[in-house]
């Protein structure tokens, strides 16, 4: 487990674990340890098959998709290279295909290539 975090209320580092909570000895504020551990784990983006997606990966579209603002649909099998993970959003990625630039796609329509 990582080091004990500073108090989110008063920012003092005089904190200690107490059961399932952290407690600040200076201001008396208590907050759950689970919330801190989930924040430390980071954002995990997974494709339709459950594979972990990382920044810069290549993905493939699994079904034909209509693209808002474009008359060109994304066909099944279209490759999206060098994806960018959307901050604080595990359900969307940003990327570009050969024909359409600046796409935001839901990961439920993508599989890792």
């Amino acid at each position: 487990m990582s080091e004990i975090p500073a108090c989110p209320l008063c920012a003092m580092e005089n904190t200690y674990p107490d059961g399932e909570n952290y407690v600040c000895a200076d201001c008396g504020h208590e907050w759950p340890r689970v919330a801190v551990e989930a924040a430390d784990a980071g954002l995990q983006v997974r494709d339709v098959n459950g594979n972990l997606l990382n920044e810069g990966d290549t993905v493939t579209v699994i079904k034909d998709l209509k693209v808002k603002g474009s008359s060109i649909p994304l066909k099944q099998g279209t490759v999206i290279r060098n994806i960018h993970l959307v901050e604080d959003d595990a359900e969307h990625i940003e990327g570009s295909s050969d024909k359409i630039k600046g796409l935001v796609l839901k990961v439920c329509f993508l599989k890792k290539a």
Side-chain angles (χ1 to χ4, degrees):
M1 186 165 167
S2 64
E3 63 184 42
I4 299 173
C7 177
L9 194 63
C10 68
M12 299 297 286
E13 294 185 10
N14 191 12
T15 58
Y16 60 92
D18 183 30
E20 294 185 11
N21 293 327
Y22 285 118
V23 179
C24 177
D26 295 319
C27 70
H29 178 65
E30 293 186 23
W31 67 101
R33 293 172 77 173
V34 176
V36 173
E37 291 167 2
D40 289 344
L43 182 68
Q44 292 189 345
V45 180
R46 297 191 180 273
D47 71 357
V48 70
N49 296 327
N51 298 321
L52 188 63
L53 296 176
N54 297 311
E55 192 81 17
D57 280 350
T58 300
V59 295
T60 306
V61 178
I62 62 168
K63 67 178 263 185
D64 292 352
L65 299 173
K66 293 180 181 178
V67 179
K68 290 183 181 179
S70 175
S71 61
I72 304 170
L74 277 179
K75 296 286 187 179
Q76 179 179 355
T78 301
V79 175
I80 309 295
R81 289 179 173 75
N82 198 16
I83 65 169
H84 174 70
L85 304 179
V86 178
E87 188 174 326
D88 298 329
D89 189 357
E91 295 193 18
H92 294 91
I93 59 108
E94 295 175 350
S96 298
S97 70
D98 294 337
K99 297 180 181 181
I100 306 172
K101 307 297 181 206
L103 293 168
V104 176
L105 299 166
K106 287 189 158 219
V107 294
C108 63
F109 300 117
L110 305 171
K111 69 177 181 177
K112 193 170 186 174

